[in-house]
Amino acid sequence: MELSCYINGRRVTKQIDADMVLLDFLREQGCYSVKRGCDTANCGLCTVWVEEKPVLSCSFPAGRAQGLHITTMEGLQKEAEEFGRFLAGYGAEQCGFCSPGFIMNVLAMERELKNPTDEEIREYLSGNLCRCTGYVSQMRAVKDYLSREKKEAAAQ
Ligand code: FES
Ligand code: FES
């Protein structure tokens, strides 16, 4: 089948197998930030955005992206780097394996939730498994990142 969609704002049209998943399609288009972990919709590592909403690309049929806008970390480099500095600052990135999916979800959450509570943050990010950090340092990094603008404004 022919798939035509937008990847990070660029229109792409390709012939694909009907059973191809979005993860493989995106990697074929050079989006190597999209990684495969469990391949069973359980770890969150393969998260990308479809129409600005996070989806697990390992279990999202590529054909369903027909005409839609897909965003990967390649399209969010500046924000991803900024949040990455917060993760590093809190020692919340150890092996780094979980980071691509985690970053995609944190940046989506920032757009979706205004002033989220700890509970809301935990719930939003509950699909991102991390085998290293125990989530405490990640939580500190997320909260500090989300409040950075307020802190910057207060410092002026
Ligand atoms: S690889 Fe998709 S959820 Fe784990
Ligand atoms: S930092 Fe290693 S899995 Fe999260």
Side-chain angles (χ1 to χ4, degrees), residues 16-29:
I16 62 163
D17 291 338
D19 60 353
M20 186 178 221
V21 292
L22 188 58
L23 187 157
D24 292 320
F25 178 69
L26 291 170
R27 287 187 61 87
E28 271 191 22
Q29 305 316 309

Side-chain angles (χ1 to χ4, degrees), residues 18-115:
D19 60 353
M20 186 178 221
V21 292
L22 188 58
L23 187 157
D24 292 320
F25 178 69
L26 291 170
R27 287 187 61 87
E28 271 191 22
Q29 305 316 309
C31 298
Y32 299 119
S33 72
V34 188
K35 302 271 196 291
R36 174 173 268 114
C38 65
D39 216 11
T40 55
N42 280 300
C43 73
L45 181 61
C46 63
T47 302
V48 301
W49 299 353
V50 175
E51 297 291 311
E52 304 271 307
K53 298 283 180 224
V55 304
L56 298 172
S57 63
C58 72
S59 54
F60 191 97
R64 269 183 58 198
Q66 194 69 260
L68 302 182
H69 291 80
I70 301 156
T71 309
T72 69
M73 213 155 62
E74 283 84 356
L76 295 165
Q77 272 182 1
K78 207 162 151 255
E79 288 170 75
E81 277 170 24
E82 187 181 7
F83 176 55
R85 281 194 290 278
F86 281 78
L87 280 178
Y90 279 94
E93 191 177 64
Q94 293 185 22
C95 78
F97 185 73
C98 62
S99 294
F102 186 64
I103 290 171
M104 290 303 290
N105 269 315
V106 169
L107 298 182
M109 179 178 71
E110 185 185 19
R111 282 161 168 76
E112 211 173 305
L113 305 181
K114 292 289 159 239
N115 301 317

